[in-house]
Amino acid sequence: MKRDEIKNLIYKRYIEPTKLKNNVYAGIEIELPIINLNKKAVDFNLIHELTVRFKNYFNFKIKSKDENGKICALENLKTNDIYTYDCSYNTLEIAFGKEKNLYTVKKRFEEYYTFIQDILNKENHTLTGFGVNPYRKYNKHLPIPNGRYRMLYHHLCTYDKYKNEKKLHEMPEFGMFISAAQIQLDVKIDDLIPTINVFSKLEPLKAILFSNSVLNGENLELACCRDMLWENSMQGYNEKNFGMYDPIPQSIEELIEYMLKTSIYCTEHEGKYINFHPTVIPEFFEKDKINGEYFEDGKYHEITFNPKKEDLNYLRSFKFEDLTFRGTIEFRSVCCQPVNETMTVHAFYFGLINQIDQLNQILDEDTTLFNKPYSLSELRKIFVKAYLPEFIEEKQLKKLLINILDLASEGLKERGNTEEKLLKPLYNRAKSLENPAQKLIKHLDSGGKIEELIYEYGKL
């Protein structure tokens, strides 16, 4: 397949849908770690029972089952909410149908959460609000037994083959103990590049406000270890597939060229999920044959297949501002938050999405963080750490954060739903320059028990 044909495929799949957008809706996804307070592995039998009871109580329908016949995803046909598990049965995910009003989502989330907690608490289990499961060392790190998640875990486990090429950590199971708060927002084609640009500039500041991923017991210098876990794994084997745009595309043509540099590592042929060596898109489509592996009858088998244009549907990039085939940008760099502050993430984005020009002006004029001898990627790496660097003037940083929160608040006030109240915890974080991860690290350093924050971060 020629390069221009591939570019046209990318345009049709990712750019074309943005031409159809008129209003901004949000698709909110909340992932939450499940904990067995007995300091044992999560009881999967309890989780399967919970799923059935949730289905019956809220009138959800079965969306999919795993290969053992256990329900792994439910859907409400009225709201389009999806109840599922992310990578393993150690992490619950609730993905809400697209909405305009954040309080509509908040109300449903609280109803679901209260019901789930009531069932889990009776068996000394709980949900909580951490970006890394604080009891991960007790859990069974087994992928959900289905094609997609088994393939993903198998792919991550191939890191051992590439140690000499790239610095890779030895935690291929990381997807089974990390949790995020993500949002997809509709974007119009004229706003696509400006939105990617300005929200990319925000990434260092988001690390300051939202970091909540501490690898308890190791890497305590990191307040947001999720970046490291993704980047130094097979998901980051090709750096273009993960994290920041570097450089940030300045036009749709540049965005397509950037996407051409990303890699494909999986597909599905004849009902078989296949993974293979990450291959840059043009090189993938130039090949007559691709060698890969698939799972069947309890073991992995080698397979050779012919690339086809539909394989592009299996491109898996994990950019912090990720353009999807739905005509949305998925914002995916934020950790799961303490439960009673989880809507801060979505209010932050919703408040700023229609304030692109004003936000750009604030960031372009700033000298506290920006206009210094650091790239955006370098700044993000600096600010996912637990402690602020010496070159930062704290007073000016607080002012910058509050100016951005004020702009988000104005954007929410214009919507007329009083959603600006959801930003209050972020003002507190900006004034104290303390995110949930830093609070946890200080708590542990002072001799506090993690169980105290498991309870606190899990309260509605």
Side-chain angles (χ1 to χ4, degrees), residues 46-262:
L46 171 62
I47 300 308
H48 298 318
E49 178 189 344
L50 165 66
T51 308
V52 172
R53 292 177 66 177
F54 186 95
K55 166 188 168 293
N56 294 337
Y57 187 85
F58 289 105
N59 195 29
F60 275 54
K61 304 299 180 185
I62 297 173
K63 184 175 175 65
S64 62
K65 292 184 178 183
D66 68 23
E67 292 168 4
N68 297 325
K70 302 296 185 182
I71 303 169
C72 56
L74 301 168
E75 183 173 14
N76 185 298
L77 301 181
K78 183 177 179 181
T79 62
N80 294 319
D81 293 350
I82 295 174
Y83 172 109
T84 187
Y85 297 92
D86 186 62
C87 292
S88 77
Y89 288 114
N90 297 309
T91 305
L92 176 69
E93 177 182 330
I94 302 174
F96 295 86
K98 65 179 187 179
E99 294 286 354
K100 278 189 171 183
N101 190 320
L102 293 176
Y103 281 109
T104 303
V105 176
K106 184 174 185 289
K107 180 181 178 183
R108 294 210 300 273
F109 171 70
E110 290 175 353
E111 289 174 355
Y112 298 157
Y113 188 84
T114 300
F115 178 86
I116 294 165
Q117 283 288 66
D118 183 57
I119 292 172
L120 292 179
N121 292 169
K122 288 175 181 175
E123 300 298 329
N124 213 28
H125 283 59
T126 189
L127 298 175
T128 189
F130 285 80
V132 166
N133 191 316
Y135 275 14
R136 73 186 191 283
K137 67 181 180 181
Y138 304 116
N139 282 338
K140 294 175 288 189
H141 292 130
L142 302 171
I144 292 171
N146 63 18
R148 177 190 172 196
Y149 285 124
R150 186 185 286 109
M151 175 279 298
L152 174 58
Y153 183 52
H154 182 61
H155 171 68
L156 291 170
C157 285
T158 63
Y159 75 92
D160 206 37
K161 300 178 183 178
Y162 305 103
K163 278 184 174 179
N164 295 330
E165 298 178 34
K166 188 175 173 65
K167 181 184 176 183
L168 301 172
H169 61 68
E170 298 184 355
M171 293 179 280
E173 75 283 4
F174 75 91
M176 304 180 206
F177 62 72
I178 62 172
S179 299
Q182 297 173 181
I183 186 170
Q184 292 191 39
L185 290 171
D186 289 321
V187 59
K188 300 175 186 176
I189 189 166
D190 292 342
D191 297 329
L192 176 56
I193 297 302
T195 300
I196 289 175
N197 265 260
V198 75
F199 279 98
S200 294
K201 294 177 187 176
L202 270 183
E203 287 302 332
L205 294 168
K206 285 162 59 184
I208 296 169
L209 287 172
F210 294 111
S211 288
N212 189 28
S213 296
V214 177
L215 274 172
N216 185 23
E218 52 188 302
N219 295 96
L220 282 178
E221 77 280 3
L222 292 176
C224 178
C225 71
R226 290 179 69 254
D227 287 21
M228 178 275 292
L229 290 170
W230 282 95
E231 183 178 6
N232 296 337
S233 76
M234 287 304 294
Q235 296 289 30
Y237 178 83
N238 179 348
E239 62 184 20
K240 298 295 184 183
N241 280 56
F242 168 79
M244 306 278 290
Y245 288 96
D246 195 5
I248 301 174
Q250 301 299 314
S251 66
I252 288 175
E253 177 66 22
E254 286 186 16
L255 176 60
I256 292 173
E257 287 292 335
Y258 192 103
M259 295 176 76
L260 279 172
K261 297 174 184 176
T262 60

Side-chain angles (χ1 to χ4, degrees), residues 39 158 171 183 226 244 277 295 320 336 356 368 440 445:
K39 295 187 177 180
T158 63
M171 293 179 280
I183 186 170
R226 290 179 69 254
M244 306 278 290
H277 176 75
F295 184 87
F320 291 159
C336 168
I356 299 300
T368 308
L440 169 62
D445 286 346

